[in-house]
Amino acid sequence: MGKRLWVERNKDGSWDAFSDDGAHIKFGKDRGQFTPGDLMKVALAGCAALSSQFAIEHTLGEGKGAKIVVDGSYDPENDAYTGFDEQVVVDASDAGLSDEDAEKLKERITRHIDKGCTVKHTYVQETPVRMNVTIKH
């Protein structure tokens, strides 16, 4: 089983998400807040960022990373995302890479993300969600 997470409603209508190890994020549907759909995209981008970090730092140096932009195709009729487009952009302009070295880095990044991104692995397969509702009274 993974890390235990939970959400709680705030008086202002927003929500807070927590984890057993102290992580916290505020979300909701108001302006300036991530929606649950946004958090799905953040999870995909974040997973690619963490998965690609070693390959990028190994080539470009410590502290270097990618900018990852994720957009989703939304089907309002079924209230579901039908796919995601992920753009991984690495600024290596000051590294003096040859075309061959840039291509090798691109291949390494792709391999690292394909191998190590749990969120991507989850999204590309059918993932059942089991739900149990408990009413305390």
Side-chain angles (χ1 to χ4, degrees):
M1 213 61 192
K3 183 185 344 180
R4 192 172 77 98
L5 307 172
W6 68 94
V7 300
E8 296 176 4
R9 179 98 191 254
N10 297 309
K11 290 182 195 249
D12 68 359
S14 66
W15 292 78
D16 286 307
F18 301 95
S19 72
D20 279 337
D21 66 358
H24 169 253
I25 189 168
K26 187 176 209 127
F27 69 98
K29 292 192 174 190
D30 288 337
R31 183 170 163 72
Q33 295 177 341
F34 288 116
T35 66
D38 293 337
L39 292 174
M40 289 174 56
K41 293 182 236 176
V42 167
L44 184 60
C47 191
L50 292 175
S51 297
S52 66
Q53 182 176 342
F54 177 80
I56 295 168
E57 285 188 332
H58 181 75
T59 301
L60 302 180
E62 190 174 330
K64 297 292 185 174
K67 176 180 180 179
I68 300 163
V69 179
V70 176
D71 195 9
S73 300
Y74 179 72
D75 175 4
E77 190 173 305
N78 292 304
D79 190 28
Y81 284 95
T82 58
F84 296 99
D85 294 309
E86 187 172 38
Q87 181 66 39
V88 179
V89 178
V90 177
D91 184 357
S93 56
D94 61 352
L97 297 180
S98 67
D99 289 346
E100 183 181 336
D101 289 339
E103 189 59 34
K104 285 180 183 176
L105 178 58
K106 179 179 175 180
E107 290 170 9
R108 283 189 74 205
I109 290 168
T110 301
R111 276 197 320 271
H112 279 255
I113 293 171
D114 284 346
K115 181 180 179 189
C117 185
T118 305
V119 176
K120 182 178 177 186
H121 299 160
T122 302
Y123 285 174
V124 297
Q125 68 180 2
E126 185 176 332
T127 307
V129 176
R130 292 163 292 286
M131 184 176 68
N132 179 33
V133 176
T134 302
I135 308 296
K136 294 181 180 181
H137 61 285

